[in-house]
Amino acid sequence: MRLSSCTLANGEIRDLVIENQIIVGIEPASKNGDLDCSSLRVLPGFVDLHTHLREPGFEQSETVLTGSQAAASGGYTALFAMANTQPVADNAGTVTQVAELGEAAGLVEVRPIGAITKGLEGKQLSAMGSMFNSKAQVRIFSDDGHCVSDAALMKTAMEYLQPLGGVIAQHAQEPTLTLGSQVNEGEISRITGLKGWPSSAEESIILRDALLSEQTGCRLHVCHVTSKLGVELIRWAKQRGFPVTAEVTPHHLVLTELEAKNYDTRFKVNPPLRTQQDTEALVEGLVDGTIDVIGTDHAPHASDAKQQQWDAAAFGMTGLEQAYQVAHKVLVHSGLSDWERLAEAMSSAPALIGGVSNHGRIEVGQEANLAFIDPTKSLRVEGNVYSKSANNPYTGMEFASSVVHTMFRGGFSYKDGEVKK
Amino acid sequence: MRHLLSTDELNRETAIEILDSASQLSRLNEDTTRKFPTLQGKTVVTLFYEDSTRTRISFELAAKRLSADVINFSAGGSAVNKGENLKDTAQTLEALGADALIVRHSASGASYNLAHNGWTSAAIVNAGDGTNQHPTQALLDALSLRQGFNIDDGKGLDGKKILIVGDILHSRVARSNLALLPTLGAEVEAVGPGSFSPGCKYANLDEALETKPDAVMMLRVQKERMNQPLIPSDKEYSRFWGLTEQRVKKVPNCLILHPGPMNRGLEISTYAAESNNSLVLSQVKNGLAVRMAVLSMILGGKNETI
Amino acid sequence: MKTVLSESDIARTIRRMAHEILERNSGPFLLLGIPTRGVSIAKALAEAIESISADTCEVGQVDVGLFRDDRDTRKAKPIAETVIPGSVDGRTIILVDDVLFSGRTIRAALDALSSFGRPAMVQLAVLVDRGHRELPIRADYVGKNLPTSLSEKVRVKTMADDSEDSVVIE
């Protein structure tokens, strides 16, 4: 198949020739391809290092299939699925099951994330070695949803994983500072009377873990950074050469704590939305590379779990279907950065961290995983189209461009607004 | 006024209207207990997810004195809290014909959700939501203050200096007062130990009383609401912040309020509670009048939907 | 807008009503105005009565908002003051209001009165009777009979509340 006149991330216009799932040629632009991409920006397919697919155990909120559909519609070709399923993905059997569900769905590459501790209880290491060697080939380990707060255990986990070469992804949240916390500690907790979640509970763990990663040599990936100081700590750690990478969610880039003032549980998320200053620092960090990637933390919940008084409602927002829109708004549309940085944050950097070398690059010999964007097709978000859940914080917002097709292993997983199969 | 959820939604005019109506009702009930047909045919449900006999009885009595039919739904304790979906309960009660729900819940924002999420079309009166607001309490406190200062109907509390003492962080009574009293023209300061009275400039109550306030409102030390103790001990609290006999004597013209129930000897001494300047009993009496005024304003006429 | 009674018309009418009240009541009576404007009218009647009879005329007011039966069609108003000198038991009460229309205000006033006690007799004085009664209620003393259509609005303005004395139809 010939895709003609594709505008790549660096602005060059080329024809891409795909054969047997591989990019076999990148040639001068022509007008006679099987698909005319002359109005489209073609980027490497997006890679999400942080998604909750909810299967096994919480299929009422999402399944590997519906999550894959949502991802494909958002330009994604690879997903890393967090381990807080039921049963927890802390063993070779469960991670293999999730990987196989992903293969069966056939829309994105699903790479399961393994839990750091058994049952996510934070007490004992899980079978990380077995998961590493399983069919699922787990490379990222995380207790996300929970923080590995015991410093000694975190150090041990890092020492154990370092020789294997995996990555520990930490959800930074000091539990004793955040018991029963609901919203950012600050103006919003004052206005609503809801218990605050101080950013120092996140920053203190980020700092501790960065020091441990330096000491053990194990790669640390900081999930969903949300505060200005958090960004500064990561910048400091990187300047000193610590093996640390970091991630920011789309929602923390564009939404602030005040969204919660009417107790609308769509805005209840962990870690919470914070201040305008934090949002600005996160954007700055994403632009200058201190924050390596955008990770959606796609957290679908069935409506029962959200239609409650705030305290009782579940934490989380969906994000796979609008992540590109937010990335474009914040990096390209704003003029703060460019398409190359967008492609890096959404695709090549996460591919590198997650060890999926068949994603993230448009090169001859590479698997054909591509996202096709129409930079002028604006969109008003009405809700989620493919995700099973409706807890979408962007409903009513307008964005300037959209993903129109997605190619996965040489075939279209998403074409002209419709997911295949 | 369609709902009463929070005192920060009340402007000065509406707040004074409520106080004046309550004042009239108070007068009308002075010599005999009167019953008014105002809410005849209306159904008022008290939906209390937290234990509170005194507030519930006050609301129940207020509704009955206005001839409403009253249903009490108390779901006290953790058993119902998690299992019972608030949305389902509200919709069931509406199907049974509730015109107004008087709601007390441990979740901040619960009343707001009931009023605005489209789960029910009943009028909502917030009787206390988590650590957020308790508007009728602040209104009865304001009325008691107005009476204590011998200020006429139609007026606010302009120029009065009021000190709120105690666990501001977890007190919905404090928060409602902090929003209402300045609206009525008073100068309010919140003081107490730094761990639950953020921004306090004083080291103890003696220092705070040097500012010669016109009234002090003593908050109950709420041990049940704190996850971990925020103060070293009761003894230390009362030594630094308790309204002792000695402290009362230092400010002889200062009015004293307490929302109840009192921890005698902890935040307030018996001397203070029973002194001539104590408004504690009138607070209870005014609670009934204020709640009657609020119910008659919300259900006793045609209201525009917000 | 049409003025049907001017300030001087009202003064003359009040004086005539005062004479009628004194003519019918040889013993003592208590005037109770219905807020808001019934109160001013009651005070004006009391003044006129005092100037004619040289005796003091007791006057008070009774708020009827809590006793209305047509609440669902009217906006809820704040509760106004009720001031009743002495008790109502065994006394002759003359209710005073500005406009008599459906009669529901007066019905509520009768309910309010009976919650305070048991008057020996209740009479009614109104400045304007505009017809369209919905209940069997009539006034004993009428300032002016004003046949109107339902779409018209009759407004009584008093010095205390509107800075002028007049009756207008809108």
Side-chain angles (χ1 to χ4, degrees):
Chain A
M1 158 169 314
R2 176 176 288 267
L3 308 166
S4 57
S5 296
C6 308
T7 309
L8 303 176
N10 58 7
E12 287 175 8
I13 305 181
R14 297 278 180 274
D15 276 16
L16 299 176
V17 186
I18 320 287
E19 215 174 293
N20 289 333
Q21 306 187 355
I22 307 288
I23 301 173
V24 298
I26 299 179
E27 298 175 8
S30 77
K31 299 247 198 274
N32 46 318
D34 302 281
L35 182 67
D36 174 26
C37 300
S38 53
S39 56
L40 304 179
R41 182 72 68 153
V42 179
L43 303 179
F46 305 139
V47 175
D48 192 7
L49 291 179
H50 192 145
T51 300
H52 295 272
L53 294 181
R54 301 298 188 213
E55 193 177 6
F58 302 104
E59 292 84 353
Q60 72 276 18
S61 306
E62 196 83 279
T63 62
V64 174
L65 175 62
T66 59
S68 299
Q69 289 169 338
S73 77
Y76 283 91
T77 53
L79 291 180
F80 284 76
M82 281 294 175
N84 57 341
T85 49
Q86 201 180 70
V88 170
D90 60 7
N91 62 85
T94 308
V95 295
T96 303
Q97 180 194 5
V98 174
E100 283 173 353
L101 286 166
E103 283 290 314
L107 294 166
V108 299
E109 183 168 344
V110 175
R111 298 300 299 267
I113 291 178
I116 300 169
T117 65
K118 266 213 186 89
L120 301 175
E121 285 172 11
K123 297 206 185 100
Q124 226 188 332
L125 295 185
S126 68
M128 287 197 278
S130 308
M131 289 191 273
F132 202 94
N133 287 341
S134 72
K135 187 173 169 206
Q137 298 274 289
V138 178
R139 294 292 175 266
I140 302 184
F141 295 86
S142 179
D143 270 10
D144 182 71
H146 301 269
C147 173
V148 178
S149 57
D150 185 306
L153 189 61
M154 185 60 158
K155 181 163 182 270
T156 305
M158 285 181 165
E159 284 165 347
Y160 188 83
L161 200 55
Q162 191 275 333
L164 278 72
V167 181
I168 289 224
Q170 171 79 293
H171 166 111
Q173 177 179 358
E174 169 52 60
T176 59
L177 287 175
T178 53
L179 285 172
S181 296
Q182 303 292 331
V183 289
N184 185 33
E185 183 175 291
E187 197 185 341
I188 190 67
S189 58
R190 192 184 53 77
I191 295 174
T192 56
L194 291 167
K195 179 130 195 265
W197 196 132
S199 57
S200 52
E202 180 179 317
E203 292 141 8
S204 54
I205 298 288
I206 291 176
L207 180 55
R208 181 201 79 177
D209 288 348
L211 294 168
L212 290 175
S213 97
E214 163 66 1
Q215 194 174 16
T216 61
C218 177
R219 289 193 287 150
L220 170 72
H221 180 73
V222 183
C223 296
H224 44 48
V225 182
T226 66
S227 78
K228 183 164 189 249
L229 273 179
V231 176
E232 286 177 28
L233 287 170
I234 290 164
R235 199 173 276 130
W236 172 85
K238 283 183 163 186
Q239 273 163 5
R240 290 180 163 262
F242 294 7
V244 175
T245 56
E247 156 200 298
V248 65
T249 66
H251 43 273
H252 286 104
L253 290 169
V254 291
L255 300 172
T256 68
E257 58 177 4
L258 294 176
E259 301 282 352
K261 70 179 190 296
N262 291 333
Y263 306 96
D264 183 344
T265 56
R266 282 183 304 141
F267 300 103
K268 178 171 175 175
V269 66
N270 194 18
L273 299 172
R274 300 207 195 267
T275 67
Q276 181 63 30
Q277 282 168 314
D278 293 315
T279 306
E280 286 166 5
L282 290 166
V283 171
E284 209 183 290
L286 181 65
V287 165
D288 74 20
T290 304
I291 296 179
D292 305 79
V293 307
I294 292 178
T296 65
D297 195 4
H298 176 84
H301 285 290
S303 71
D304 278 352
K306 280 291 196 178
Q307 290 215 9
Q308 305 256 12
Q309 61 275 22
W310 187 282
D311 283 6
F315 286 95
M317 306 171 165
T318 58
L320 284 170
E321 296 184 36
Q322 289 88 26
Y324 160 72
Q325 262 85 359
V326 175
H328 176 260
K329 178 184 166 87
V330 156
L331 291 172
V332 178
H333 193 66
S334 62
L336 291 170
S337 188
D338 53 29
W339 288 100
E340 283 179 295
R341 181 67 196 126
L342 189 151
E344 203 182 0
M346 291 288 280
S347 187
S348 57
L352 196 59
I353 294 170
V356 284
S357 54
N358 53 334
H359 297 264
R361 288 170 295 162
I362 296 180
E363 282 171 14
V364 174
Q366 258 288 72
E367 208 171 83
N369 295 312
L370 305 167
F372 297 74
I373 286 139
D374 184 339
T376 59
K377 184 166 185 237
S378 63
L379 165 75
R380 191 192 143 84
V381 179
E382 304 286 343
N384 288 326
V385 179
Y386 291 98
S387 168
K388 244 180 160 175
S389 293
N391 50 321
N392 183 331
Y394 309 107
T395 304
M397 285 175 72
E398 301 229 8
F399 293 97
S401 92
S402 312
V403 175
V404 290
H405 321 301
T406 308
M407 176 176 279
F408 175 57
R409 293 184 179 149
F412 282 101
S413 53
Y414 179 66
K415 185 108 190 318
D416 295 312
E418 264 195 60
V419 168
K420 294 295 149 174
K421 297 167 205 171
Chain B
M1 187 169 74
R2 173 108 185 91
H3 307 287
L4 179 60
L5 305 173
S6 149
T7 51
D8 61 31
E9 293 174 347
L10 294 174
N11 60 29
R12 187 187 162 99
E13 198 191 314
T14 309
I16 291 184
E17 232 174 74
I18 298 174
L19 295 185
D20 289 346
S21 295
S23 185
Q24 292 308 329
L25 281 162
S26 194
R27 250 165 251 159
L28 286 168
N29 280 305
E30 213 149 329
D31 46 350
T32 20
T33 302
R34 276 176 212 291
K35 206 159 150 123
F36 304 96
T38 322
L39 298 186
Q40 213 158 47
K42 302 280 185 187
T43 304
V44 170
V45 178
T46 64
L47 185 53
F48 274 51
Y49 280 87
E50 274 186 340
D51 277 327
S52 161
T53 327
R54 34 167 68 209
T55 308
R56 212 206 71 231
I57 286 181
S58 182
F59 269 108
E60 183 180 348
L61 216 46
K64 284 183 167 159
R65 293 262 174 90
L66 293 169
S67 303
D69 292 323
V70 180
I71 304 176
N72 291 314
F73 184 109
S74 53
S78 56
V80 188
N81 233 8
K82 219 9 178 143
E84 184 76 62
N85 187 311
L86 187 59
K87 176 182 170 192
D88 286 338
T89 308
Q91 293 186 326
T92 307
L93 291 171
E94 173 152 345
L96 294 173
D99 295 292
L101 300 180
I102 301 173
V103 187
R104 172 167 284 202
H105 201 287
S106 60
S108 300
S111 292
Y112 192 95
N113 286 141
L114 280 168
H116 294 288
N117 280 17
W119 301 339
T120 170
S121 60
I124 308 292
V125 176
N126 184 6
D129 61 330
T131 51
N132 187 31
Q133 284 270 330
H134 190 359
T136 56
Q137 178 70 42
L139 286 162
L140 72 87
D141 289 336
L143 183 61
S144 308
L145 282 167
R146 207 169 71 164
Q147 289 167 351
F149 291 131
N150 288 318
I151 295 175
D152 292 327
D153 282 4
K155 300 212 169 62
L157 292 165
D158 303 275
K160 294 298 179 189
K161 281 174 57 155
I162 301 166
L163 227 51
I164 303 184
V165 185
D167 183 355
I168 312 297
L169 215 50
H170 302 100
S171 168
R172 50 195 178 210
V173 171
R175 290 165 56 88
S176 284
N177 271 296
L178 282 164
L180 178 66
L181 296 175
T183 304
L184 292 170
E187 263 174 57
V188 193
E189 207 177 344
V191 303
S195 43
F196 53 44
S197 192
C200 172
K201 313 195 278 273
Y202 313 104
N204 53 53
L205 187 54
D206 295 297
E207 278 182 31
L209 289 175
E210 311 248 309
T211 62
K212 295 275 171 265
D214 298 301
V216 286
M217 185 181 296
M218 306 308 294
L219 300 174
R220 190 166 61 85
V221 176
Q222 300 183 80
K223 298 192 232 195
E224 76 278 7
R225 232 181 260 297
M226 300 187 271
N227 290 317
Q228 290 154 311
L230 297 175
I231 49 174
S233 70
D234 290 353
K235 245 198 160 66
E236 182 149 322
Y237 182 82
S238 55
R239 186 175 303 142
F240 280 72
W241 295 99
L243 191 57
T244 58
E245 178 173 344
Q246 204 180 26
R247 287 179 175 138
V248 171
K249 288 181 170 154
K250 277 204 211 153
V251 282
N253 296 321
C254 182
L255 298 178
I256 297 169
L257 298 106
H258 191 299
M262 301 185 278
N263 291 315
R264 284 172 186 258
L266 175 47
E267 71 268 353
I268 188 169
S269 58
T270 296
Y271 181 86
E274 295 176 0
S275 82
N276 288 333
N277 290 335
S278 166
L279 299 177
V280 166
L281 287 174
S282 72
Q283 281 175 280
V284 177
K285 197 165 72 95
N286 285 329
L288 180 57
V290 161
R291 288 164 182 141
M292 284 176 75
V294 167
L295 286 173
S296 72
M297 279 170 86
I298 286 181
L299 285 182
K302 183 167 72 115
N303 276 300
E304 310 87 38
T305 32
I306 288 183
Chain C
M1 193 176 85
K2 189 175 82 172
T3 305
V4 285
L5 284 180
S6 69
E7 187 173 336
S8 51
D9 292 329
I10 291 177
R12 262 199 308 279
T13 305
I14 296 270
R15 205 163 172 85
R16 188 253 304 155
M17 288 169 76
H19 277 287
E20 286 180 8
I21 290 172
L22 282 167
E23 190 177 29
R24 261 188 65 173
N25 295 285
S26 50
F29 50 83
L30 166 61
L31 293 181
L32 288 182
I34 297 176
T36 317
R37 288 169 181 76
V39 177
S40 312
I41 311 252
K43 287 192 181 143
L45 272 173
E47 257 177 57
I49 287 168
E50 282 178 356
S51 76
I52 300 170
S53 73
D55 269 333
T56 41
C57 175
E58 284 201 285
V59 69
Q61 60 186 80
V62 57
D63 181 61
V64 306
L66 292 165
F67 296 87
R68 300 196 71 95
D69 65 1
D70 54 354
R71 283 164 269 114
D72 284 344
T73 54
R74 297 162 69 104
K75 194 162 177 274
K77 287 205 286 197
I79 302 165
E81 217 181 341
T82 294
V83 180
I84 301 182
S87 105
V88 302
D89 289 323
R91 288 172 86 172
T92 296
I93 306 286
I94 305 183
L95 290 171
V96 182
D97 205 4
D98 54 345
V99 179
L100 179 57
F101 189 12
S102 64
R104 293 192 186 274
T105 305
I106 304 306
R107 189 213 62 79
L110 290 170
D111 267 3
L113 271 183
S114 56
S115 84
F116 286 104
R118 196 180 178 284
M121 175 181 302
V122 182
Q123 300 171 0
L124 173 63
V126 296
L127 187 60
V128 173
D129 179 346
R130 64 170 289 195
H132 298 291
R133 216 75 74 233
E134 291 172 9
L135 297 170
I137 297 219
R138 57 132 186 78
D140 299 278
Y141 313 99
V142 180
K144 183 166 180 70
N145 278 299
L146 212 57
T148 56
S149 76
L150 278 171
S151 60
E152 288 171 312
K153 285 191 177 30
V154 175
R155 292 213 191 292
V156 170
K157 299 189 184 187
T158 64
M159 200 60 77
D161 305 291
D162 318 281
S163 309
E164 65 173 90
D165 284 333
S166 65
V167 178
V168 301
I169 291 186
E170 285 165 11

